Amino acid sequence: MDVPLWFALVVVGYLGCKLVRPPLWLVLVLLLGGYLIAGSLLAPVIDHAIKK
């Protein structure tokens, strides 16, 4: 069964927020931080570290 990555991330994120109940500010900081880092000069460095 092939599941799209975006759908798997949505399900895992929803279940994580529902079960762990992190503060809303922490969720927003992680989402915004990830978005900003993905568009920055650090993106190739992080991509290389992940794929290594």
Side-chain angles (χ1 to χ4, degrees):
M1 180 168 104
D2 291 328
V3 177
L5 178 61
W6 65 267
F7 183 71
L9 290 175
V10 167
V11 170
V12 169
Y14 175 76
L15 290 175
C17 288
K18 195 78 165 161
L19 297 174
V20 178
R21 295 194 179 246
L24 182 59
W25 64 266
L26 181 60
V27 174
L28 294 176
V29 165
L30 290 174
L31 288 173
L32 182 62
Y35 176 76
L36 291 175
I37 288 175
S40 72
L41 295 173
L42 295 175
V45 175
I46 295 170
D47 187 43
H48 178 70
I50 291 173
K51 290 185 178 180
K52 190 173 183 183

